[in-house]
Amino acid sequence: MTLIDGKSVARDIRLELSERTRVFEKKYGKKVGLAVVLIGDDAASQVYVRNKIKACEEAGIRSFAHYLPAETTQRAAEELIVSLAADRNVHGILVQLPLPKHLDAERILSLIPTSKDVDGFSTENIGMLATGGGGTVACTPLGVMELLKRYRIETRGKRAVVVGRSNIVGRPMALLLLNADATVTVCHSKTDNLKEECLRADILIAAIGKAKFITADMVKEGATVIDIGMNRDDNGLLCGDVDFEHVKDRAAYITPVPGGVGPMTIAMLLQNVCDAFERTEKQA
Ligand code: GUN
């Protein structure tokens, strides 16, 4: 079994990106900028946002953090996005999800111009992915593809099974694998015979959100197992959607949690911000 070391790959990418931002500053005389918007007090979101801002600083990207209270009105949230959309120092806008329930997230996200949509959530970016690629892609599934590439794990002609169909992870993940010539099955909470579907996977992607949901009897010998889950087990320890201890002996490649896909999400965000900067500045 080979452990896929996302932490180390992400570190390499972040180093490459800090070099890239240095070159940008020399060439264009300005810094890459990312606006991060956090509304409310979701504990996990606070940690994610803190990590994103720290990673920006380390990569030479200017961050503009906007922390709004949970009772923020729809109007105030929309006004903030409109002002960030017009701000020339801001090349990417990230609205951390989930938003408080009283807010219309879709409407708020729709105000982010596609050119600044570093999460790849805009209708236009999703449309490009669905029709074969070319736009900005959601950071977590993009990070998975980068890991597969760097570990030289073949996707062409392989049977990939994605468990989970969220807009942020499962759906774009399935489209990326399809674009990379895999034969893709998407499973979800209503899937009949989930175990049999998973057992057919050469590449099994777990994006369910349930601790240790994928057990060894669901994994084909020699499969690649990618764990996108971020959960707490009964002892309060961070764990993925895969029962790592038992699955690792069946898998040829497997990502740990923590230290697998998680660090790649942030690295891909920084990459998307740098790409957005370069596209904008080249046009200016
Ligand atoms: N919440 C959980 N994952 C993500 C992500 O990738 N982007 C945003 N904006 N919010 C998230």
Side-chain angles (χ1 to χ4, degrees):
M1 178 272 292
T2 299
L3 195 67
I4 298 181
D5 187 349
K7 200 170 166 183
S8 142
V9 173
R11 198 182 301 124
D12 291 349
I13 293 173
R14 283 161 55 173
L15 271 175
E16 291 159 23
L17 290 173
S18 26
E19 181 53 31
R20 203 170 155 206
T21 57
R22 258 196 298 277
V23 172
F24 282 162
E25 247 183 285
K26 272 208 195 108
K27 189 166 171 188
Y28 299 106
K30 60 166 89 162
K31 268 188 173 288
V32 181
L34 172 69
V36 181
V37 178
L38 174 60
I39 308 180
D41 34 38
D42 181 78
S45 291
Q46 285 173 349
V47 175
Y48 295 145
V49 163
R50 204 181 313 132
N51 289 340
K52 287 172 186 178
I53 287 170
K54 185 162 167 268
C56 278
E57 275 166 23
E58 286 170 7
I61 296 172
R62 212 171 147 193
S63 60
F64 303 89
H66 294 268
Y67 299 108
L68 304 185
E71 58 278 9
T72 297
T73 62
Q74 180 74 23
R75 184 165 172 184
E78 289 183 12
E79 279 173 2
L80 173 61
I81 304 302
V82 169
S83 74
L84 295 172
D87 188 336
R88 295 171 69 93
N89 292 317
V90 170
H91 303 91
I93 303 172
L94 181 140
V95 176
Q96 187 66 27
L97 301 177
L99 289 178
K101 290 229 169 359
H102 70 279
L103 293 174
D104 181 346
E106 213 168 298
R107 231 184 108 88
I108 292 169
L109 295 179
S110 76
L111 296 169
I112 301 174
T114 287
S115 60
K116 297 191 181 189
D117 171 34
V118 288
D119 258 327
F121 294 167
S122 78
T123 312
E124 205 176 320
N125 276 323
I126 290 166
M128 279 191 262
L129 180 62
T131 51
T136 300
V137 177
C139 307
T140 301
L142 188 60
V144 171
M145 295 310 287
E146 190 64 36
L147 286 176
L148 294 177
K149 198 157 60 181
R150 294 207 180 206
Y151 278 82
R152 299 183 193 285
I153 295 164
E154 181 70 87
T155 52
R156 186 174 174 185
K158 299 299 173 198
R159 197 174 284 278
V161 174
V162 180
V163 190
R165 56 176 162 177
S166 73
N167 289 338
I168 296 183
V169 180
R171 284 171 206 249
M173 186 76 253
L175 288 167
L176 279 170
L177 287 162
L178 184 62
N179 293 347
D181 297 326
T183 302
V184 183
T185 302
V186 184
C187 298
H188 46 79
S189 55
K190 308 291 184 296
T191 296
D192 283 339
N193 305 320
L194 179 66
K195 179 178 160 184
E196 282 65 34
E197 296 291 348
C198 290
L199 272 169
R200 284 146 56 94
D202 300 310
I203 301 171
L204 179 61
I205 314 261
I208 307 137
K210 287 189 182 157
K212 303 181 188 181
F213 183 85
I214 301 290
T215 46
D217 60 332
M218 300 166 83
V219 176
K220 181 165 83 170
E221 190 80 42
T224 293
V225 180
I226 305 288
D227 190 349
I228 303 185
M230 238 348 164
N231 316 289
R232 297 271 166 197
D233 68 11
D234 295 339
N235 302 316
L237 291 173
L238 204 58
C239 73
D241 289 350
V242 174
D243 180 7
F244 181 87
E245 274 315 307
H246 297 103
V247 169
K248 71 178 189 330
D249 299 325
R250 295 185 66 80
Y253 292 89
I254 188 166
T255 60
V257 176
V261 175
M264 292 299 290
T265 297
I266 295 189
M268 293 299 101
L269 168 66
L270 304 180
Q271 182 174 292
N272 282 350
V273 182
C274 287
D275 289 349
F277 173 91
E278 196 166 30
R279 272 195 308 269
T280 307
E281 293 307 320
K282 270 186 176 162
Q283 275 174 9

